[in-house]
Amino acid sequence: MTSPADSPPAPTAPAVAVTPLMRGIDVLRRLTEADGTMSLRDLSYATGLPRATVDRIAATLAHMGYVRLDGRDVALLPGVMELGNAYLAAVRLPELLGPHVRALADDLDESVSLVVPDGTELRMIHQVKHRRAMTLCFGIGDVLSVERAAPGALIAAEWPAQTWAEWSEKSAAPAGRETRAVPPAEQLRAAFSPELCAEAARRGWAEDDQRIEPGLVALGAAVRDPHGRQVCAVSVVSHTSRHDVASLRDAALRKLRRTVAEMEETLRHAPAPSTDPQSGTATWTGTSKQVMGREFVESLARGLTVVTAFGAGRDTLTVADAARATGLVRATARRALLTLEHLGYVVAEGRAFRPTPRILELGFSPLSRISLAELAQPHIEALGCRVHDSASMAVLEGGDIRYTGRAAVYRVMSVNITVGTRFPAYATSMGRVLLAGLPPGGRTAVLDGGEPLRPLTGRTITDRGRLDELLDRVAEQGYALTDGELETGLRSIAVPVRDRAGQVVAAVNVAMHSGRRTEEECLDEVLPQLRATVSRIETDLATAARFVTVPVV
């Protein structure tokens, strides 16, 4: 862990800088560097702030839905990704170029990424990974060193002399990562020069032969906007078990160049974006201050909401724009923007401010690798505590459900199920909401393609016509309740989990012995709690999956 004394001295903050905003951002950065979780004590040590100050910052971030307080630990939550989402929506590169990245990755059967320049480094903003036993561990928001990454020479070819001077003073290792590449850092830095980069720019592509990590090879090319400016670079990454750098060039360079041309054509003809809804948060922060008192750091909350004011249709903001989007007074919005400029999260362009990719260092990277099961687990545990019965999440696999999340409540008589357990979907509450959520024809394919419906107890519904009628009713009412169909004495109620597109991707249930609650009590007491929990899961999923693929397991 880096202590405050180890950090380089920061430039003097302007007189109007919002100190609580600077401190809160420092806490988010430290949490990100620690892969999402730190103790309050370690945060105090890492930031150099008094423990009481860290406690207030953590309480404010928790109230905003950005972190979870778990005893003495602080953990990032998907809600914090709205900061990075604001930047990604503003630049529009994942939205416009993402389909091209997917097509190239599928065509080559390799992982493909988009990176943008961030000062003297590169930052990843989009990727399509091809899942294998050996796959990339980089996430959206991660930093790469220009001298190690394939597109680095292309980006650095357009650096002014001042940027080259800044680069020469920095460490070669990417922030937060220990690089164990074959060439020593000193050798790489000595070879990385304006002349080498000019040659890569003249050629139009660059390659990485295991510089970033042993076994990884990559090929990169730059993408330019209609004004001829480099806006990002595309990188195709493979493993030496599949390609050496020469064979990757032979297999991918022609297709990479074609994709870059298609990307530039897309940027040339991109329609104007529709504007994201404005946030108008001033009232909310004021109310939170009244509720929480001095534990709520209002100036921190207001400063972070200025970041979320950027978005589709708002790639730049004047002070007046920021005030209008957030509901803050102009003076407050101005101080927040100047503080963000001082920290490098926005740059001034005349009277307007533009967000920088550095915003992605505020919690985005570790959460960009989260699965639905990981995202939902804290909510499932909270649900189990509220209803005092076991809660679970499952997904549909063939004709079965497979448990992906579980919060058990232990009693003398309890439901003993573990993550990974499989049951026939037709006989379970979660299976029924999953089957009911399938598209037309999907339900028939699953039920007809699996094992014959067989009675697991004397109450299991196995008649196909009756089951179809029941599933239609489940789809209409939005929940399923089973009583003794999987196991005698086991009662369960479930609701579906939907993704951003409204598709059912999972189910959450509460299960209990039938003596604990009647069916009516399940509907009156448990169903509202289930629906509230799933609403929270869906909100987090919508935030996390806006620019990142969230796997269901």
Side-chain angles (χ1 to χ4, degrees):
M1 181 180 298
T2 303
S3 70
D6 298 325
S7 302
T12 302
V16 297
V18 184
T19 300
L21 176 58
M22 295 172 63
R23 291 171 172 174
I25 283 176
D26 195 17
V27 167
L28 287 175
R29 284 183 48 252
R30 303 291 179 166
L31 282 168
T32 305
E33 292 168 1
D35 211 27
T37 304
M38 284 183 78
S39 70
L40 290 163
R41 184 194 65 179
D42 287 345
L43 276 171
S44 176
Y45 176 75
T47 59
L49 297 173
R51 172 63 185 272
T53 301
V54 171
D55 287 348
R56 292 182 63 213
I57 290 171
T60 301
L61 296 174
H63 187 73
M64 298 180 72
Y66 287 0
V67 304
R68 180 179 77 255
L69 300 179
D70 187 5
R72 297 181 180 179
D73 290 338
V74 183
L76 292 171
L77 288 177
V80 76
M81 296 177 77
E82 71 176 7
L83 301 173
N85 285 344
Y87 161 75
L88 294 172
V91 297
R92 301 184 69 198
L93 293 175
E95 170 200 349
L96 296 173
L97 306 186
H100 298 291
V101 173
R102 168 62 66 183
L104 181 60
D106 290 344
D107 191 10
L108 296 174
D109 193 27
E110 301 289 356
S111 297
V112 180
S113 306
L114 291 180
V115 298
V116 294
D118 186 5
T120 59
E121 299 168 314
L122 305 177
R123 198 173 293 271
M124 191 172 299
I125 62 165
H126 184 72
Q127 66 180 181
V128 174
K129 295 182 183 179
H130 273 221
R131 287 183 170 269
R132 298 191 177 93
M134 292 183 292
T135 189
L136 297 179
C137 62
F138 292 117
I140 307 303
D142 277 343
V143 167
L144 308 173
S145 293
V146 289
E147 69 271 23
R148 292 192 180 275
L154 301 169
I155 299 296
E158 299 190 356
W159 280 355
Q162 180 182 351
T163 306
W164 276 103
E166 292 172 359
W167 171 80
S168 67
E169 297 175 359
K170 291 190 175 182
S171 167
R177 292 189 180 274
E178 181 182 357
T179 301
R180 298 177 179 175
V182 174
E186 296 78 6
Q187 179 181 330
L188 279 176
R189 290 173 63 77
F192 195 76
S193 65
E195 293 75 22
L196 178 145
C197 296
E199 172 60 22
R202 183 196 63 77
R203 192 172 58 228
W205 54 271
E207 58 193 18
D208 161 22
D209 189 0
Q210 305 184 74
R211 294 197 308 269
I212 203 160
E213 185 170 294
L216 287 184
V217 293
L219 192 67
V223 179
R224 297 182 180 274
D225 68 10
H227 304 288
R229 297 173 298 202
Q230 284 189 10
V231 291
C232 65
V234 191
S235 181
V236 178
V237 183
S238 188
H239 195 271
T240 50
S241 59
R242 291 173 55 81
H243 285 291
D244 61 22
V245 71
S247 69
L248 178 63
R249 187 190 319 127
D250 292 341
L253 182 56
R254 180 179 59 84
K255 295 178 179 179
L256 174 61
R257 282 177 157 168
R258 183 186 65 204
T259 297
V260 167
E262 292 169 350
M263 288 178 168
E264 291 176 344
E265 187 70 9
T266 296
L267 294 177
R268 191 172 297 114
H269 299 288
S274 57
T275 304
D276 276 345
Q278 296 184 347
S279 45
T281 55
T283 302
W284 177 83
T285 57
T287 303
S288 298
K289 183 67 174 178
Q290 292 176 3
V291 172
M292 295 182 63
R294 68 179 307 274
E295 291 304 306
F296 185 76
V297 186
E298 188 173 12
S299 54
L300 165 59
R302 286 179 169 177
L304 292 176
T305 59
V306 169
V307 176
T308 66
F310 291 98
R314 295 199 299 271
D315 59 341
T316 61
L317 290 174
T318 64
V319 171
D321 292 334
R324 188 163 47 249
T326 59
L328 299 172
V329 298
R330 288 173 58 108
T332 301
R334 175 177 176 273
R335 291 188 65 199
L337 284 167
L338 292 175
T339 304
L340 294 168
E341 181 189 20
H342 166 68
L343 297 174
Y345 297 111
V346 301
V347 293
E349 296 182 351
R351 296 176 57 200
F353 295 84
R354 184 181 298 275
T356 73
R358 190 168 300 179
I359 289 173
L360 294 172
E361 75 179 7
L362 302 180
F364 205 93
S365 174
L367 292 168
S368 72
R369 296 183 284 269
I370 198 170
S371 69
L372 175 57
E374 294 168 325
L375 178 153
Q377 187 61 31
H379 298 291
I380 294 171
E381 291 173 356
L383 173 62
C385 290
R386 286 196 298 272
V387 299
H388 306 293
D389 274 306
S390 297
S392 306
M393 186 169 75
V395 297
L396 189 65
E397 291 189 352
D400 293 338
I401 62 166
R402 180 162 70 86
Y403 281 70
T404 59
R406 179 79 173 150
V409 175
Y410 294 99
R411 304 177 182 278
V412 174
M413 183 181 297
S414 60
V415 181
N416 185 21
I417 299 170
T418 59
V419 170
T421 298
R422 303 173 74 98
F423 289 124
Y426 66 88
T428 66
S429 62
M430 288 193 288
R432 287 181 181 170
V433 296
L434 290 166
L435 290 170
L438 290 175
R443 183 196 307 175
T444 299
V446 169
L447 292 175
D448 289 350
E451 296 293 326
L453 307 186
R454 59 186 179 86
L456 305 179
T457 73
R459 306 188 66 171
T460 308
I461 296 174
T462 57
D463 178 79
R464 182 57 187 277
R466 186 180 170 196
L467 181 61
D468 279 334
E469 291 178 2
L470 178 58
L471 292 176
D472 289 340
R473 188 160 67 249
V474 167
E476 181 180 349
Q477 65 192 15
Y479 70 89
L481 192 151
T482 59
D483 188 7
E485 295 188 53
L486 178 67
E487 182 177 328
T488 301
L490 178 63
R491 182 170 290 149
S492 173
I493 184 168
V495 296
V497 178
R498 299 179 184 273
D499 63 12
R500 287 179 61 89
Q503 300 299 311
V504 175
V505 292
V508 176
N509 85 339
V510 172
M512 69 210 76
H513 187 268
S514 57
R516 283 268 301 146
R517 288 185 178 91
T518 65
E519 292 188 12
E520 292 73 18
E521 288 171 333
C522 286
L523 296 177
D524 293 341
E525 300 172 7
V526 179
L527 183 58
Q529 294 282 0
L530 257 177
R531 284 178 164 159
T533 296
V534 166
S535 177
R536 296 184 187 101
I537 293 172
E538 290 175 342
T539 297
D540 279 355
L541 179 59
T543 301
R546 185 172 180 186
F547 294 104
V548 173
T549 299
V550 178
V552 296
V553 293

